[in-house]
């Protein structure tokens, strides 16, 4: 049982390049989330998917798109990377959309945009 | 809208000393409160959560937190810390109305010195 996995672990992009961050969970969870972590700012929600087939914007969605490919997988795409998107990206999942459930986090992707 | 403030960005402490990490929140509705820990170069894992009932919540690794509604606080405590407790700690709140989205505080870096 791997939990939440993310690929790649590290990535360096040039300004204007595109890339997709992959996330998969094997816990049969319905809800999945993408966060970014910046020093002194905690984690901020980019997008979330309450269930398969639905996606919604979080606090900082500009410059990102997401796809809930199936129940297991939730990808985050940067169409035209900017230096302001240099960050550590975390994917998380939980059983339902309920507020009391625990979110389980992946190990993160460290992205640098030059 | 809810918000979370962690009052200390860094807390240095000696091994076997007690520690308190402070967290205040604001919300206009009932809240569910969480503490997560992030060890270096890892994802976040749940320490404990308050949903309802007893205001003193016990978590993993000897940590506990007390929910204080009148002071809108949820401080994390441990009576005797170990070197392995060195990590970043995040307080988070979910208001139960938006598919369980979490709002995180800025994080507190706990450094335990020998």
């Amino acid at each position: 049982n791997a939990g939440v996995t993310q690929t790649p672990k590290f990535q360096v992009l040039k300004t204007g390049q595109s890339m997709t961050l992959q996330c998969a969970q094997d816990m049969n969870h319905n809800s999945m989330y993408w966060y970014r972590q910046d020093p002194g700012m905690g984690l901020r929600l980019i997008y979330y998917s309450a269930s398969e087939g639905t996606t919604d914007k979080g606090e900082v969605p500009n410059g990102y798109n997401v796809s809930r490919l199936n129940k297991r997988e939730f990808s985050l795409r940067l169409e035209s990377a900017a230096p302001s998107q240099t960050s550590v990206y975390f994917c998380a999942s939980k059983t339902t959309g309920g507020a009391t459930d625990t979110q389980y986090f992946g190990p993160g992707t460290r992205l640098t945009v030059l | 809208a809810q918000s979370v403030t962690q009052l200390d960005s860094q807390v240095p402490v000696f091994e076997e000393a007690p520690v308190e990490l402070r967290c205040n929140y604001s919300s206009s509705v009932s809240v569910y409160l969480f503490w997560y820990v992030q060890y270096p170069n890892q994802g976040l894992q749940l320490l404990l959560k308050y949903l309802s009932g007893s205001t003193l919540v016990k978590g993993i690794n000897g940590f506990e937190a007390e929910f204080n509604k009148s002071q809108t606080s949820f401080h994390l405590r441990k009576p005797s810390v170990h070197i392995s407790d060195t990590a970043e700690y995040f307080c988070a709140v979910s208001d139960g109305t938006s598919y369980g989205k979490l709002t995180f505080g800025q994080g507190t870096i706990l450094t335990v010195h020998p």
Side-chain angles (χ1 to χ4, degrees):
Chain A
N1 196 340
V4 180
T5 57
Q6 294 182 235
T7 55
K9 286 187 169 53
F10 301 93
Q11 184 70 49
V12 179
L13 293 178
K14 294 180 180 178
T15 297
Q17 287 184 317
S18 62
M19 79 161 295
T20 299
L21 282 64
Q22 306 286 354
C23 173
Q25 52 89 10
D26 62 2
M27 297 176 283
N28 200 35
H29 286 172
N30 290 305
S31 301
M32 298 184 74
Y33 306 80
W34 275 106
Y35 294 89
R36 59 176 290 172
Q37 181 183 25
D38 302 292
M41 302 187 74
L43 278 75
R44 293 179 293 168
L45 183 65
I46 305 171
Y47 270 93
Y48 68 101
S49 171
S51 61
E52 186 178 356
T54 68
T55 61
D56 284 286
K57 295 178 180 179
E59 184 184 351
V60 288
N62 291 345
Y64 305 96
N65 285 300
V66 290
S67 296
R68 183 74 183 266
L69 305 169
N70 48 56
K71 191 172 184 178
R72 290 187 63 246
E73 298 173 290
F74 188 38
S75 63
L76 179 72
R77 183 161 178 83
L78 287 71
E79 290 291 351
S80 179
S84 60
Q85 294 178 305
T86 293
S87 187
V88 182
Y89 291 85
F90 287 100
C91 178
S93 70
K94 68 182 193 179
T95 305
T96 69
T100 61
D101 292 340
T102 298
Q103 287 191 23
Y104 293 86
F105 286 79
T109 294
R110 190 173 296 273
L111 175 67
T112 301
V113 183
L114 302 175
Chain B
Q2 65 249 29
S3 66
V4 177
T5 302
Q6 292 182 238
L7 298 164
D8 305 291
S9 59
Q10 297 192 51
V11 174
V13 65
F14 286 108
E15 195 172 18
E16 297 184 5
V19 70
E20 178 180 80
L21 306 184
R22 298 179 294 167
C23 171
N24 286 98
Y25 69 92
S26 67
S27 176
S28 58
V29 297
S30 297
V31 296
Y32 306 107
L33 294 155
F34 302 77
W35 274 101
Y36 280 84
V37 60
Q38 183 182 30
Y39 298 105
N41 299 313
Q42 295 186 26
L44 280 70
Q45 66 182 82
L46 182 72
L47 268 181
L48 49 79
K49 60 183 177 182
Y50 171 79
L51 306 180
S52 64
S54 173
T55 57
L56 184 63
V57 181
K58 294 190 182 298
I60 62 171
N61 300 339
F63 284 93
E64 62 183 31
E66 185 156 19
F67 171 62
N68 188 319
K69 188 174 182 179
S70 63
Q71 297 189 8
T72 61
S73 67
F74 190 53
H75 300 334
L76 181 70
R77 302 184 181 101
K78 186 169 183 178
S80 176
V81 294
H82 191 267
I83 297 285
S84 60
D85 293 321
T86 294
E88 189 162 16
Y89 293 79
F90 292 95
C91 182
V93 62
S94 171
D95 69 2
T97 61
S98 300
Y99 294 101
K101 292 184 296 181
L102 292 175
T103 299
F104 284 86
Q106 302 90 328
T108 298
I109 297 173
L110 173 65
T111 303
V112 181
H113 298 284

